[in-house]
Amino acid sequence: MIELIPAIDLIEGKCVRLTQGDYDSKKVYDENPLEVAKRFEDAGIRRLHVVDLDGARAGHIINYRTLEQLATRTSLTIDFGGGLKQDKDLEIAFECGAQMVTGGSIAVKNPDIFTAWINHFGSERIILGADAKAGKIAINGWEEKTTLELIPYIKDYQAKGIQKVICTDISRDGMLQGPAIELYQEIQTEVPDIQLIASGGVSSIEDIEHLAQANIPAVIFGKALYEGRITLNNLRPFIS
């Protein structure tokens, strides 16, 4: 069964969503992320993906107090990302209750540090954030496209111990136009042993059904929930 992972993106401690990573497109959905997380928990959700968008811009962790609230006042398993650049950022995230952290830009710009995190904290606690546009890796809140090809990039980090990858097709993120199922199937074929977490574009419960039918292990989604296109009641068949 596909694992459901709702997303909470944070700016100034508020639950927001962006469109294609554009900060000017910010829309505040809830002033209280904890209440949002509790609703997820009450519905039977067990995982939560939290992104510190302030941290992604600043280059260091910022919304750690909100992370601490979410971790201490719910039983959700939280993976946390956004602006994690130094060992201290990870230490703060783990101290504040994150069970896993996601590294995106750091894995591109300083692979030695990211590889050291895998070795030091363990591959079960470090997730590779492989955000892509037109098959190339993009970083820094998606504001910078690189020349790195997505699948070879994932393979390279798998060889270094990475087991989990969040892949976001930026062209679909926040657009509610459906996920990039063909891309995810290609990743599954080329890197079959990786635990792939699909992200971006989910617009309906049918999109989640299609991902499940394609045997994608997990999916992150947010905007469709906040816009009411998917209800927590819709998710019940996927919650064991």
Side-chain angles (χ1 to χ4, degrees), residues 62-211:
I62 289 179
N63 284 289
Y64 57 90
R65 292 299 180 201
T66 303
L67 166 63
E68 189 172 41
Q69 267 198 329
L70 297 172
T72 58
R73 298 179 65 182
T74 75
S75 62
L76 296 166
T77 298
I78 298 173
D79 73 80
F80 183 84
L84 305 177
K85 305 294 185 189
Q86 303 174 30
D87 292 359
K88 185 64 176 175
D89 292 320
L90 268 69
E91 290 165 7
I92 292 169
F94 287 135
E95 285 169 5
C96 289
Q99 282 94 339
M100 293 167 277
V101 298
T102 301
S105 300
I106 185 70
V108 172
K109 292 202 162 186
N110 202 324
D112 290 342
I113 287 180
F114 189 71
T115 302
W117 290 352
I118 300 168
N119 295 331
H120 179 71
F121 294 101
S123 58
E124 71 282 356
R125 302 189 81 186
I126 306 295
I127 303 172
L128 176 65
D131 301 332
K133 189 170 186 177
K136 302 283 179 64
I137 293 292
I139 59 173
N140 291 337
W142 305 340
E143 294 174 344
E144 181 182 343
K145 187 176 171 183
T146 74
T147 58
L148 295 168
E149 296 284 346
L150 173 63
I151 289 176
Y153 179 75
I154 294 173
K155 285 182 175 180
D156 182 53
Y157 268 114
Q158 184 186 42
K160 295 175 181 177
I162 276 293
Q163 299 173 1
K164 305 181 184 76
V165 175
I166 296 172
C167 181
T168 303
D169 183 335
I170 296 169
S171 66
R172 295 175 184 254
D173 187 72
M175 300 301 288
L176 299 173
Q177 295 177 348
I181 293 177
E182 290 184 3
L183 173 64
Y184 301 136
Q185 289 178 315
E186 184 182 0
I187 294 170
Q188 291 276 82
T189 299
E190 294 289 332
V191 202
D193 297 329
I194 208 76
Q195 184 182 340
L196 176 63
I197 304 167
S199 173
V202 171
S203 63
S204 65
I205 196 65
E206 288 78 18
D207 286 337
I208 293 176
E209 290 170 355
H210 294 154
L211 286 164

